[in-house]
Amino acid sequence: MPFVELETNLPASRIPEGLANRLCAATATILDKPEDRVSVTIRPGMTLLMNKSTEPCAHLLVSSIGVVGTAEQNRGHSSSFFKFLTEELSLDQDRIVIRFFPLEPWQIGKKGTVMTFL
């Protein structure tokens, strides 16, 4: 069950229409997970400072069970997410940061229990 959170200082008016759906589909492909399991949050208009600059930028947080736990896995994921974000948001790669958080099944609550028991 991947969780993807995009935070950006771009105003909501600069977020392309349908980005949430495309980010969901891209995440499912990149992480090889079912699209109906992906949860996407987009937060435009954030106050962000990157490299001493408030020029347009974005942070992407990617967390999931079993697919973001090694440098080798994340190198490939990073390349694919950077390609997607630079094209969708018209940002240079030096204005995007991606953070990967591996999750364990007991860290995700669902249906009154945790994923360990589902």
Side-chain angles (χ1 to χ4, degrees), residues 36-55:
D36 64 348
R37 297 280 179 96
V38 177
S39 178
V40 173
T41 303
I42 298 178
R43 295 183 190 98
M46 303 285 292
T47 301
L48 296 176
L49 177 77
M50 183 185 295
N51 304 330
K52 295 186 178 182
S53 171
T54 58
E55 289 298 311

Side-chain angles (χ1 to χ4, degrees), residues 24-37:
C24 179
T27 299
T29 299
I30 292 166
L31 300 182
D32 195 28
K33 296 282 188 172
E35 193 171 338
D36 64 348
R37 297 280 179 96

Side-chain angles (χ1 to χ4, degrees), residues 6-10 48-60 82 85-86 89-98:
L6 176 63
E7 300 173 337
T8 181
N9 57 1
L10 291 170
L48 296 176
L49 177 77
M50 183 185 295
N51 304 330
K52 295 186 178 182
S53 171
T54 58
E55 289 298 311
C57 63
H59 295 176
L60 185 71
F82 268 101
L85 292 173
T86 56
L89 300 178
S90 299
L91 295 174
D92 291 333
Q93 285 193 2
D94 67 340
R95 301 303 299 160
I96 299 169
V97 172
I98 302 173

Side-chain angles (χ1 to χ4, degrees), residues 14-30:
R14 291 249 336 253
I15 302 299
E17 183 72 31
L19 178 63
N21 288 330
R22 289 190 302 280
L23 181 54
C24 179
T27 299
T29 299
I30 292 166

Side-chain angles (χ1 to χ4, degrees), residues 54-70:
T54 58
E55 289 298 311
C57 63
H59 295 176
L60 185 71
L61 292 75
V62 180
S63 53
S64 188
I65 298 170
V67 293
V68 296
T70 70

